[in-house]
Amino acid sequence: MNIHLENVDLKSTTGPNHFASKLIKYMSRDNITFDSKLKPDARLCFIETRNHDDKTPLIQRLDGIYFNTTQNYMLQNMNISKTYENSSGVVYQTDFNKDLITKYFGTHENSTVIRNGADLDFIKSIKPVENKAFDKYDNIWCCASSWRPHKRLEDNIRYFLEHSSSKDLLVVAGHVEIKKYKNDRIAYVGQLSIDQLVSLYKKSNYFLHLAWLDHCPNVVVDARASGCKIVCSSSGGTKEIAGLEAVVIEEEEWDFEPVDLYNPPKLDFSKKIENKFDSELCMTKVGRQYKKFVADTLNENFYS
């Protein structure tokens, strides 16, 4: 089976593009090709396609849609919705995603939930970061993101300061414009490569991701696979990939109505709940779930 990927930039290390690289690596081991020069049996599009006239069966992989009231979310969703309607199959990344998208776009007759996995072989090959400055600390905490307001960097830092000891260090990866919290126990290290991030995760005891209404962040999957205990919010889909041992801060249930996404509510760290979700970390198995769904979709398409 040959699959063409759409709306993917393999040179980028952002979450969706990083996942695409993992998917190619592991599905290729299972006799799937991604040769753009050969005729495709199917197209796998990340979020949306611009090639609506192409009659090749289309699988849409969705990691959320727009609902921020400070933006023109209806316009932003227009082509995603068109892709949804024209797709032979849809992959939602979490149950949260499925509930959100069906609320706005309706139920798709052929869909499945496949949560993101980690490249365990790659993670195993990476050594923990070696930095003498880290050696004086008992525990390393870390967080990494494209720091927009709903990612809640300030809440991550506040949680660390309230729950860590004087011999703990927090490492913040990703570009931060305003370093509101300056502390001897907080290190801002800027943008890191995937290798550097995994190296940091493998040195860390905890990974903080208290984002509001996040979907299925790859940083959480990779940090968990690297041995970090995850601290996250109950909102969105993050808890579904954080593992049974995760610390989950409970928030009010969202009714899926449009909200001011960049103005998240303040967290009450005393409201901790047990996580009931577990997920498959191994990309070999995740890749096979994609292969089966695409194959099943093609079979259905052949007989329709």
Side-chain angles (χ1 to χ4, degrees):
M1 184 193 305
N2 189 47
I3 298 175
H4 282 189
L5 293 178
E6 296 186 9
N7 201 24
V8 169
D9 179 5
L10 296 177
K11 296 179 181 179
S12 171
T13 58
T14 59
N17 295 303
H18 174 45
F19 181 79
S21 297
K22 292 188 285 187
L23 201 59
I24 291 172
K25 176 179 177 179
Y26 282 87
M27 289 184 74
S28 296
R29 294 178 179 180
D30 219 10
N31 299 317
I32 303 296
T33 59
F34 294 86
D35 192 336
S36 61
K37 297 179 182 179
L38 297 178
K39 182 180 178 180
D41 297 296
R43 296 181 291 147
L44 176 58
C45 121
F46 281 43
I47 303 175
E48 59 185 322
T49 184
R50 300 292 176 182
N51 302 320
H52 293 288
D53 294 331
D54 192 327
K55 301 304 180 183
T56 305
L58 177 66
I59 310 296
Q60 182 184 32
R61 176 184 180 269
L62 275 170
D63 66 348
I65 56 175
Y66 296 97
F67 49 82
N68 190 344
T69 55
T70 64
Q71 301 171 347
N72 189 343
Y73 64 89
M74 294 182 70
L75 179 62
Q76 290 171 316
N77 284 331
M78 189 174 295
N79 192 55
I80 302 175
S81 176
K82 183 177 180 180
T83 304
Y84 187 80
E85 293 173 1
N86 292 339
S87 293
S88 300
V90 173
V91 176
Y92 308 107
Q93 291 185 42
T94 56
D95 289 332
F96 166 74
N97 274 155
K98 181 177 181 179
D99 292 343
L100 168 65
I101 292 159
T102 55
K103 163 80 173 180
Y104 282 72
F105 294 170
T107 301
H108 197 284
E109 61 182 10
N110 180 38
S111 65
T112 189
V113 174
I114 306 177
R115 298 178 180 89
N116 293 344
D119 186 344
L120 299 183
D121 291 343
F122 170 72
I123 289 173
K124 186 177 180 180
S125 73
I126 299 294
K127 294 181 179 180
V129 62
E130 295 183 4
N131 189 321
K132 291 183 179 179
F134 290 1
D135 294 341
K136 65 180 180 180
Y137 296 100
D138 291 341
N139 294 294
I140 304 297
W141 301 54
C142 67
C143 56
S145 186
S146 297
W147 293 112
R148 290 160 288 167
H150 69 295
K151 299 292 185 176
R152 285 177 167 154
L153 174 58
E154 291 185 13
D155 289 271
N156 285 350
I157 292 173
R158 185 166 62 90
Y159 186 94
F160 167 74
L161 293 175
E162 293 180 14
H163 292 80
S164 62
S165 77
S166 60
K167 293 186 177 181
D168 289 4
L169 174 72
L170 172 63
V171 181
V172 178
H175 176 66
V176 179
E177 289 187 4
I178 302 174
K179 300 177 178 64
K180 182 176 180 180
Y181 287 90
K182 295 183 179 180
N183 188 294
D184 291 340
R185 296 193 297 115
I186 301 175
Y188 297 90
V189 296
Q191 294 294 124
L192 299 180
S193 67
I194 299 298
D195 299 45
Q196 291 170 324
L197 281 172
V198 170
S199 185
L200 173 61
Y201 300 156
K202 294 189 77 172
K203 183 70 173 180
S204 302
N205 307 87
Y206 303 95
F207 184 85
L208 291 162
H209 195 83
L210 291 166
W212 187 41
L213 303 178
D214 212 343
H215 301 282
C216 190
N218 279 281
V219 289
V220 171
V221 174
D222 288 346
R224 178 185 163 205
S226 299
C228 294
K229 184 170 185 174
I230 307 299
V231 180
C232 67
S233 158
S234 68
S235 72
T238 305
K239 61 182 178 295
E240 296 182 40
I241 55 169
L244 295 173
E245 301 301 317
V247 175
V248 180
I249 309 301
E250 186 177 27
E251 295 199 71
E252 288 188 11
E253 288 287 332
W254 180 43
D255 60 5
F256 296 109
E257 292 300 315
V259 293
D260 182 355
L261 183 63
Y262 288 176
N263 186 27
K266 188 173 181 178
L267 288 167
D268 181 350
F269 297 145
S270 68
K271 295 182 177 180
K272 296 178 182 179
I273 58 174
E274 180 182 355
N275 194 18
K276 298 180 180 179
F277 289 91
D278 201 6
S279 63
E280 178 58 61
L281 279 176
C282 179
M283 269 303 301
T284 299
K285 296 180 180 179
V286 170
R288 286 174 180 166
Q289 290 177 38
Y290 271 87
K291 177 183 178 180
K292 183 179 186 304
F293 182 69
V294 174
D296 289 348
T297 299
L298 290 179
N299 286 334
E300 289 180 9
N301 191 71
F302 290 151
Y303 293 110
S304 61

